Amino acid sequence: MPLTNPWPTAGSTNYVAETAAVIDEIETALSTYVVPGWTTGRWYSVQQMHNMDWGQDCGAAVANRTYACPLWVPSGGRAIDRVGVAVTTGVGGSTVRLMAHAPAASGLPGALLFDWGTVSTATSGDKEITISSTLPQGFLLLTCVCSAAITLAAFESYRTDIFGCNNQAGTDGAPYRDNGSMTAPNPWGTTSISYLDSRLPRLAVRAA
């Protein structure tokens, strides 16, 4: 597809603005190609892009641990009215904070986009929060922070390499790190990051 904006000339007066316009056009084209659209009332997750198995879990969390899972949003962005997480084993009095982060240059979560608050995870099952937000187009990260040693349900992400692997035969899944509190991290953090073994937490949104 030809670009309507010309590629900027290095050193030109409006180089930064021209470059931003081209990048925005490319991102819009990619979003349209990768994710053509969402249907109102239906849930979307990383499964839209990767064929994954269910019936897995992330293993027992520890208090204040934060996880991430990728999501691709259609061109132009999309309004959502629910965000959810699936819990395999709950803990009395526990909660999970649900958020979204923009990707850093590393592809890992960076700046906080949305903090949707907490939902009770005292019992197992699908948990959700009613919200009113518009997600930006393109790639972002759904994230969460667990208040206790609950077990989150997971997608089997074997060999998707969404976040890269530590070797050519690796099976690394979702990144996680200890947040130190239940506060929404902004930015998500760059130290002491570990990866689940071929698992991604079941985080999802519903199109409004």
Side-chain angles (χ1 to χ4, degrees):
M1 185 185 85
L3 294 172
T4 57
N5 288 292
W7 195 261
T9 302
S12 65
T13 303
N14 298 318
Y15 180 74
V16 174
E18 291 169 357
T19 301
V22 171
I23 290 174
D24 184 65
E25 187 174 349
I26 292 172
E27 185 179 66
T28 298
L30 288 174
S31 295
T32 302
Y33 174 75
V34 173
V35 185
W38 286 359
T39 301
T40 298
R42 298 189 69 82
W43 287 84
Y44 294 89
S45 68
V46 67
Q47 276 198 126
Q48 187 181 25
M49 298 299 298
H50 295 272
N51 184 20
M52 296 186 178
D53 292 334
W54 287 48
Q56 310 294 333
D57 65 62
C58 296
V62 299
N64 304 321
R65 177 163 289 175
T66 177
Y67 296 92
C69 189
L71 183 72
W72 284 262
V73 182
S75 174
R78 184 62 204 237
I80 57 172
D81 61 12
R82 301 284 193 282
V83 60
V85 62
V87 179
T88 301
T89 304
V91 172
S94 68
T95 60
V96 162
R97 180 175 296 281
L98 299 178
M99 308 163 290
H101 283 76
S106 62
L108 295 170
L112 180 68
L113 292 175
F114 299 98
D115 174 8
W116 291 303
T118 61
V119 62
S120 173
T121 49
T123 59
S124 61
D126 292 345
K127 313 299 179 181
E128 62 185 55
I129 300 175
T130 299
I131 58 175
S132 178
S133 299
T134 298
L135 300 178
Q137 69 181 22
F139 178 74
L140 59 77
L141 289 307
L142 296 178
T143 53
C144 66
V145 181
C146 306
S147 73
I150 65 170
T151 302
L152 298 180
F155 297 119
E156 173 65 62
S157 62
Y158 184 62
R159 295 190 184 283
T160 59
D161 289 351
I162 295 171
F163 296 105
C165 289
N166 62 353
N167 57 56
Q168 293 186 47
T171 59
D172 290 343
Y176 67 89
R177 64 186 302 273
D178 294 332
N179 188 48
S181 74
M182 279 292 288
T183 302
N186 186 21
W188 189 73
T190 58
T191 59
S192 303
I193 296 173
S194 300
Y195 296 84
L196 296 174
D197 182 15
S198 63
R199 300 285 193 276
L200 292 168
R202 271 182 52 195
L203 297 166
V205 297
R206 194 180 80 169

